[in-house]
Amino acid sequence: MSQPTENRLKIGLLVLALAGFVVGLTLQLTGRAEAAAVAWSIGVLPVLAALVVEILRSLMQGEVGLDIVAALSMAAALAVGEAMAAAIVAVMYSGGTFLESYAEGRARREMHHLLSRVPRVATRYRNGGLADFPLDEIEPGDRLLIRQGDVVPVDGTVASTVAFLDTSALTGEALPVRLADGADAMSGSTNAGEAFDLVATRPAKESTYAGIVRLVEEAQRSKAPMSRLADRWSMGFLAVTVVLAVGAWWFSGDPVRAVAVLVVATPCPLILAVPVALVAGLSRAAHFGVLIKGAKPLEAMARIRTMILDKTGTLTDGRPRIVSTETHGDIAESEVLRYAAALDQASKHPVAQAIVAAARARGLALPIPSEVTETPGEGVAGKVEGHDIVVGGHEFVARRVGRVPDYPALSVGSVLVAVAVDGRMAGHLVMADPLREEAPQLVVGLRKEGIRRVLLATGDRAEVAERVAGGLGLDAIRAGLTPDQKVLLVLSERKNGPVMMVGDGVNDAPALAAADVGVAMGARGAAASAEAADVVLLVDRIDRLGQGIEIARRSRRIAMESVVVGIGLSFMGMFAAALGFLSPVQGALLQEVIDVAVILNALRALRIEPLHDSSLGAAARDRTGSIGSS
């Protein structure tokens, strides 16, 4: 049965039960008791029949649920002539299932919004004009027009001067992001500015947005361990309910007491609060850019005691950046950078592209180079505005210009780029992979969330790893690790409690899969790591992980609070009914009030606001790492 059909059936049953109850109550108040009993029974029977069908279907699948208690209470109430009590149970049970469905639908609204935004066509330049094409016909290299308000259909690079993208549906960032020419644009973002051109880099089925949609669908299909635990507990609760009902009947000789016990136990909050709270937690985490692939990883996140962090792209930014500029002679720093970036436009080397990005970020106009020759792995030479420019490693440039000044001292893990203008050494660009500005904030936040051990695991050299992690207060640094050694580290750390592994590269995928919870940096990470991980950070900020853990723990706590309080009140009501203090009608009203209360309490997970700590020391902003393997 489809979800819309199932929802319509629930609404129909609720309307029938409510109509029967209202008509019966009206007849009862006018002194027509027999007609009232008939009206109540008519309202109960459709609900009871649908419930019996659902129970039989569950039994055929080997599942025993607490719906049996609801069916027993309605059937027993009708059998002993307590039609009004049966009608109340029918109204409140059908209303409770409808409320549960509504609550879960509300909790998933952000995920459904994400799915509904999938674009179907893209506007492509073709033969000097524009035409709409189905997404599956878009190929890498196609030039697309993204109009204002359009959803970016595929991953690509901006091919206009500037683009403003709203990434809130993907990352939770409230303000539009400004992207310069050549910057990467994620599919699923919305154009918040003027129209711009985009050059596709991936087919639609391999784009960021398509991958996220697949992860969301997987998350929605998942079932949490707590929900399975509720299924196992249902047998025990059912047994206690039946024994207590039969015992009340046996010792009192009054079958009405047994009915009262049954209606108080219908339906148990155990099957309502857990899924609502956890699904709400999934939705809330997605709002902050933390995509959790189901309720099982969410629960596991709430129990994490050890965190293992990859270095490059995780603890560090993962992209080389200019950290200082040394000039020789009377040439300005900005000119050294401008000449270097202008020539490097012709190179695809990551360091060259980082220099180009740095120049554009500073607003420097970059002329088009000419007569460019590139020596792979060493450097580039060519002409810029009539000047002979050479950019590359110090030794490469030195061979081209003869005697040169000594190069500046380098810290561990840094890269030196020399720049020569017209046969003279003009300057050096010192580049490094900087520590993420939010990394110290993350470590402090993890400690506050009860993470006992935080480790760094990297394939880079030990001296580089120690420089990066210095002052962060980590419990251990493991350097020079191969992928299988990272897996062994994860397994060995399990003795200290559940382990979370955070990484972004293909080499991290085995460790992510081995960990109790694997987290991938999805904004720029490898597809393999995102597939292997249980959690994907959609925004390129490591501190969002702390927020995700906090949401997971608070969601689980809300679910457990609802279960404990709901079951406790149910048992109190059942004992009161067994002792004759509650009639079936009173018991039915009491239990359904409890059920509604626990659902509403579980929905508190939708309003979780993670704590934010923006205090970062100056030392954290100055610390840099390496451009190395991880």
Side-chain angles (χ1 to χ4, degrees):
M1 184 184 300
S2 65
Q3 191 65 41
T5 302
E6 185 176 346
N7 289 338
R8 286 195 293 270
L9 176 60
K10 290 179 179 179
I11 294 174
L13 292 174
L14 175 58
V15 170
L16 287 174
L18 188 60
F21 176 75
V22 172
V23 172
L25 185 61
T26 301
L27 293 172
Q28 180 73 20
L29 293 176
T30 57
R32 303 170 63 183
E34 292 184 0
V38 172
W40 285 327
S41 299
I42 292 175
V44 170
L45 290 175
V47 178
L48 182 58
L51 187 54
V52 169
V53 171
E54 184 63 30
I55 291 171
L56 292 175
R57 184 184 303 162
S58 298
L59 290 175
M60 291 175 63
Q61 296 174 353
E63 300 177 358
V64 179
L66 294 173
D67 288 344
I68 294 177
V69 178
L72 286 175
S73 64
M74 282 186 274
L78 290 176
V80 299
E82 291 284 347
M84 184 178 183
I88 293 174
V89 173
V91 169
M92 298 306 293
Y93 179 80
S94 58
T97 56
F98 172 75
L99 180 60
E100 178 187 5
S101 176
Y102 171 78
E104 291 188 11
R106 180 189 172 192
R108 290 191 177 102
R109 67 188 183 279
E110 291 171 11
M111 294 185 180
H112 284 306
H113 178 62
L114 188 67
L115 292 171
S116 66
R117 297 174 68 255
V118 179
R120 306 298 179 189
V121 297
T123 303
R124 182 172 66 182
Y125 288 93
R126 178 58 60 89
N127 299 325
L130 291 169
D132 290 339
F133 291 86
L135 276 191
D136 56 7
E137 295 184 16
I138 302 301
E139 299 177 353
D142 285 346
R143 191 180 186 93
L144 310 177
L145 175 65
I146 311 298
R147 299 182 179 91
Q148 188 174 35
D150 284 354
V151 174
V152 178
V154 296
D155 290 348
T157 57
V158 176
S160 297
T161 304
V162 67
F164 288 90
L165 293 182
D166 177 3
T167 62
S168 58
L170 300 176
T171 67
E173 295 286 350
L175 298 177
V177 177
R178 182 182 187 277
L179 298 179
D181 185 15
D184 293 332
M186 285 192 297
S187 56
S189 306
T190 301
N191 183 10
E194 298 298 327
F196 69 93
D197 289 350
L198 180 86
V199 177
T201 56
R202 295 181 183 177
K205 63 181 180 180
E206 298 177 9
S207 287
T208 301
Y209 198 63
I212 292 173
V213 169
R214 287 193 294 271
L215 296 180
V216 169
E217 291 172 337
E218 181 180 341
Q220 290 177 332
R221 289 193 299 267
S222 70
K223 188 177 184 182
M226 285 182 69
S227 295
R228 290 194 292 270
L229 183 62
D231 293 340
R232 292 196 297 269
W233 284 359
S234 63
M235 284 296 294
F237 187 85
L238 176 61
V240 170
T241 300
V242 172
V243 168
L244 191 57
V246 172
W249 186 1
W250 178 270
F251 287 105
S252 67
D254 184 3
V256 174
R257 288 197 183 185
V259 174
V261 171
L262 291 173
V263 297
V264 170
T266 310
C268 179
L270 190 65
I271 61 175
L272 299 175
V274 173
V276 172
L278 296 185
V279 170
L282 292 177
S283 176
R284 193 59 180 159
H287 176 76
F288 287 93
V290 183
L291 180 62
I292 305 173
K293 295 184 183 180
K296 179 179 178 180
L298 185 139
E299 280 199 273
M301 285 180 72
R303 299 182 291 107
I304 291 300
R305 290 294 177 266
T306 298
M307 174 84 71
I308 301 176
L309 298 167
D310 172 46
K311 184 182 70 64
T312 305
T314 302
L315 199 59
T316 68
D317 188 68
R319 292 172 291 192
R321 292 186 180 179
I322 299 172
V323 296
S324 67
T325 303
E326 299 283 342
T327 63
H328 311 296
D330 56 1
I331 189 169
E333 289 186 8
S334 60
E335 281 298 283
V336 172
L337 176 58
R338 191 174 75 90
Y339 283 133
L343 183 60
D344 273 340
Q345 291 178 102
S347 174
K348 293 184 178 181
H349 192 280
V351 173
Q353 294 303 305
I355 293 173
V356 173
R360 285 175 174 162
R362 298 185 191 183
L364 300 179
L366 302 182
I368 298 175
S370 61
E371 301 180 24
V372 178
T373 58
E374 181 171 5
T375 304
E378 295 193 57
V380 186
K383 286 185 176 295
V384 175
E385 295 179 334
H387 298 282
D388 292 322
I389 308 298
V390 183
V391 180
H394 181 82
E395 297 300 328
F396 172 78
V397 177
R399 290 196 302 267
R400 295 296 187 98
V401 300
R403 183 177 176 84
V404 298
D406 293 335
Y407 55 81
L410 292 178
S411 58
V412 175
S414 297
V415 169
L416 187 67
V417 177
V419 182
V421 179
D422 293 330
R424 294 178 55 198
M425 184 67 72
H428 289 86
L429 304 176
V430 181
M431 307 189 70
D433 180 12
L435 183 74
R436 289 181 182 270
E437 188 175 272
E438 68 271 18
Q441 176 186 356
L442 170 70
V443 176
V444 172
L446 292 176
R447 301 294 189 191
K448 291 180 180 179
E449 286 298 321
I451 305 298
R452 301 193 188 105
R453 285 175 58 78
V454 182
L455 299 85
L456 174 65
T458 177
D460 216 334
R461 294 167 293 161
E463 59 269 23
V464 173
E466 289 170 0
R467 169 174 164 72
V468 169
L472 284 181
L474 303 183
D475 294 286
I477 298 174
R478 301 288 185 265
L481 300 181
T482 60
D484 58 330
Q485 289 173 329
K486 287 187 178 182
V487 172
L488 292 176
L489 177 62
V490 169
L491 298 178
S492 66
E493 285 295 328
R494 280 206 174 130
K495 64 179 182 294
N496 299 311
V499 176
M500 175 181 284
M501 172 70 194
V502 188
D504 76 322
V506 175
N507 58 338
D508 297 316
L512 296 178
D516 295 280
V517 178
V519 180
M521 302 294 295
R524 289 187 288 113
S529 62
E531 290 294 329
D534 303 295
V535 180
V536 180
L537 298 185
L538 302 179
V539 59
D540 195 28
R541 288 187 60 90
I542 188 68
D543 56 344
R544 292 296 177 89
L545 182 57
Q547 294 176 338
I549 293 174
E550 182 181 351
I551 290 172
R553 291 191 171 176
R554 291 172 64 181
S555 298
R556 187 176 186 273
R557 184 164 62 246
I558 287 171
M560 292 305 299
E561 287 172 355
S562 299
V563 167
V564 171
V565 172
I567 289 181
L569 292 175
S570 295
F571 273 118
M572 291 173 61
M574 289 163 62
F575 280 108
L579 296 175
F581 293 111
L582 290 176
S583 68
V585 172
Q586 293 169 334
L589 289 173
L590 173 64
Q591 181 56 59
E592 304 316 329
V593 168
I594 294 172
D595 293 335
V596 172
V598 298
I599 291 176
L600 295 177
N601 182 68
L603 281 174
R604 289 192 298 120
L606 283 172
R607 301 192 303 272
I608 294 174
E609 289 291 341
L611 299 177
H612 297 274
D613 181 10
S614 58
S615 58
L616 291 173
R621 286 187 285 269
D622 294 337
R623 192 181 294 112
T624 58
S626 76
I627 308 169
S629 63
S630 64

